[in-house]
Amino acid sequence: MEKTKKSFKRYFMPPLILIVGVAIMASLSASRQKPHREKHVVPGVLVQVQVVKPESRQVIVRGHGTVKPRQEINLSAQVSGKIEWVDSRFAAGGQFNSGEPLFRIEQSDYELGVEQAQARVAGAEYGFMVASANKEIARTEWDNMQSAHRKLTGKAENSQPDALVLREPQLKQAEAELASANAALSLAKLRLDRTILYAPFNCRIRQESIDKGQYLNPGVSVARLFSTDMVEIDVGIPLSEVMWLDIPGATAAVHLHVDGKTFIWDGKVDRSVGVIGEKERLAYVVVQVKDPLKIQDDKDIELSIGTFVEVELRGHFLDNIVSLPRQALRDDSNVWVVNDEGLLNVRKVSVERMIPGEVLISDGLNTGDKVILSSIIGGAEGMKLRVMLNGKISNPENSGDSQ
């Protein structure tokens, strides 16, 4: 019996296991679903776009220049003498308002000159009064002689007295001497007034070379000072940019960059220099800035003389203009646009103006057009594209889907 069981396991169990395994595999194969065959779709090149939105745009012309004073003079005395007083602010950097005294020359000699001139006037006035009285006396004597002659002869004499008889030359001489004395007095007072030198306008001292006790001669420069009311900047711009500006009248923004900060002053184009630079071939316009040295709430710095600044000149307004990054322009006159089917379309445009990093288009684009900003190797008309806009990728086959 035991021998029969061993024979059964040896000869019948392997085929049975094989049959069961085949049955299981057949069952699994019959229950398995056939794989779904999908059609491969080319998604298209992913590009970044900008939606066209025409706007009104003001032309900005940029240039550079150095700040210089609107008025600057050499100061000199008109009379000679020893300096007896100097204002404590009269040094490089000192600031004065118009009409404030700067320094004074010793006045005693000029005060004596005024007194002498006054005495001369008094003498001349006396001489004029005497000459006037003598003329009146001479006229009275002449009239009395005429009256006596009529009484004696019964006839009137129609002859007129000679000018010498009436002492008219003496009167004219006295009148001239009085006028001369008055002129001398005015000159003496003027010289006395000139012993004090006043600020001719609101100014700051650039340099000075005097001190108390120093003797001055007329006409010798003792200081150099400049106006603080206004400064000017000669701004060099390409000749082709002049057409965009109103000269005079265009407004400007003067930028000063210091330690990572930018300070801005308002300015105005006053005039054109009318000369083209020989080396750089630039046209120059003059920008004026008022109160450049005044510390304002939004600034803690002055627009000092000699500062190198950047200037933005505000020009004409352009209507219905499309602004694009410079890389959007292809071959100087074309842009690439994504059409409604998600395909690349080459569009010819009219360039109104090109500036660093930006191009202004006046014609060739419509509101809502999607202009391609990305660089595409081998880009050509009809190329399939996917659009990235505002961080989302649109499906070219279904513009409403995104992923």
Side-chain angles (χ1 to χ4, degrees):
M1 187 67 178
E2 186 67 29
K3 186 177 181 180
T4 303
K5 288 182 180 180
K6 290 181 179 181
S7 299
F8 178 81
K9 291 180 180 179
R10 178 182 296 175
Y11 294 107
F12 293 101
M13 284 301 291
L16 182 60
I17 293 172
L18 181 61
I19 292 171
V20 173
V22 171
I24 293 173
M25 289 184 64
S27 176
L28 292 175
S29 177
S31 64
R32 185 179 63 181
Q33 295 182 352
K34 294 183 179 181
H36 177 70
R37 184 173 295 178
E38 293 184 354
K39 184 179 179 180
H40 180 67
V41 178
V42 179
V45 178
L46 182 62
V47 295
Q48 186 177 6
V49 301
Q50 176 178 320
V51 178
V52 169
K53 185 179 180 182
E55 60 183 353
S56 179
R57 180 71 176 271
Q58 187 176 25
V59 173
I60 301 296
V61 178
R62 291 177 171 83
H64 298 83
T66 301
V67 179
K68 65 179 185 179
R70 175 68 178 87
Q71 292 177 282
E72 187 169 17
I73 64 170
N74 288 321
L75 184 69
S76 59
Q78 293 178 280
V79 295
S80 61
K82 185 174 66 174
I83 298 175
E84 64 177 5
W85 173 82
V86 179
D87 191 287
S88 59
R89 295 170 293 166
F90 195 78
Q95 194 164 334
F96 293 85
N97 294 323
S98 177
E100 285 189 301
L102 305 176
F103 63 89
R104 184 176 65 245
I105 295 173
E106 192 174 42
Q107 296 180 318
S108 55
D109 291 346
Y110 297 97
E111 290 171 344
L112 291 173
V114 171
E115 293 178 3
Q116 290 177 339
Q118 289 173 338
R120 182 180 171 188
V121 168
E125 286 177 344
Y126 171 77
F128 179 75
M129 292 172 62
V130 171
S132 297
N134 289 336
K135 179 181 178 181
E136 292 298 325
I137 293 171
R139 167 58 71 176
T140 301
E141 290 178 349
W142 173 263
D143 291 340
N144 290 337
M145 289 176 60
Q146 290 293 95
S147 177
H149 182 268
R150 283 196 301 272
K151 289 179 180 180
L152 292 174
T153 63
K155 297 179 181 180
E157 189 174 350
N158 296 325
S159 61
Q160 294 296 324
D162 188 83
L164 290 174
V165 173
L166 297 180
R167 306 183 67 83
E168 289 182 357
Q170 292 83 343
L171 179 61
K172 288 183 178 181
Q173 181 180 5
E175 186 177 3
E177 289 177 354
L178 178 59
S180 177
N182 280 320
L185 176 60
S186 297
L187 181 59
K189 290 180 177 179
L190 181 61
R191 287 174 175 168
L192 178 60
D193 291 340
R194 286 174 174 172
T195 58
I196 303 177
L197 273 75
Y198 301 90
F201 41 74
N202 296 333
C203 63
R204 178 172 284 186
I205 308 301
R206 182 192 284 267
Q207 60 185 38
E208 55 82 24
S209 58
I210 62 168
D211 207 345
K212 184 177 179 180
Q214 181 178 341
Y215 188 88
L216 291 185
N217 288 313
V220 176
S221 177
V222 295
R224 188 165 183 82
L225 46 87
F226 60 89
S227 170
T228 57
D229 292 333
M230 182 180 293
V231 293
E232 293 186 339
I233 307 164
D234 289 349
V235 183
I237 58 176
L239 190 59
S240 59
E241 300 281 49
V242 176
M243 60 178 289
W244 300 108
L245 303 174
D246 290 326
I247 303 175
T251 58
V254 177
H255 295 246
L256 174 61
H257 307 288
V258 179
D259 294 335
K261 296 181 180 180
T262 299
F263 303 92
I264 302 176
W265 286 263
D266 293 327
K268 190 174 184 179
V269 177
D270 179 68
R271 63 191 183 276
S272 171
V273 175
V275 177
I276 304 298
E278 294 183 0
K279 294 182 179 180
E280 68 280 9
R281 308 308 298 170
L282 296 177
Y284 285 87
V285 296
V286 179
V287 173
Q288 294 182 339
V289 179
K290 294 182 179 179
D291 295 327
L293 305 182
K294 182 179 179 181
I295 301 299
Q296 303 177 19
D297 294 338
D298 59 339
K299 315 178 183 68
D300 55 0
I301 192 171
E302 300 176 345
L303 186 60
S304 302
I305 301 301
T307 305
F308 186 74
V309 292
E310 177 186 345
V311 182
E312 290 185 354
L313 306 171
R314 304 185 182 105
H316 303 155
F317 278 90
L318 301 176
D319 296 325
N320 200 33
I321 286 293
V322 177
S323 172
L324 297 174
R326 180 64 182 83
Q327 70 266 22
L329 187 66
R330 325 278 175 165
D331 301 326
D332 295 331
S333 61
N334 296 325
V335 297
W336 292 348
V337 177
V338 181
N339 64 17
D340 295 337
E341 289 74 33
L343 303 179
L344 188 151
N345 176 231
V346 179
R347 191 80 60 82
K348 189 173 184 62
V349 295
S350 297
V351 177
E352 185 71 18
R353 176 173 166 78
M354 295 182 65
I355 53 182
E358 190 177 13
V359 58
L360 304 182
I361 307 298
S362 61
D363 191 30
L365 294 173
N366 301 314
T367 302
D369 282 344
K370 296 182 179 68
V371 176
I372 300 172
L373 306 182
S374 304
S375 176
I376 304 176
I377 298 176
E381 183 78 28
M383 174 181 283
K384 194 171 184 179
L385 304 169
R386 286 183 300 158
V387 172
M388 175 173 282
L389 182 63
N390 298 326
K392 296 182 179 180
I393 302 175
S394 64
N395 191 328
E397 295 183 349
N398 185 354
S399 60
D401 295 340
S402 62
Q403 61 181 31

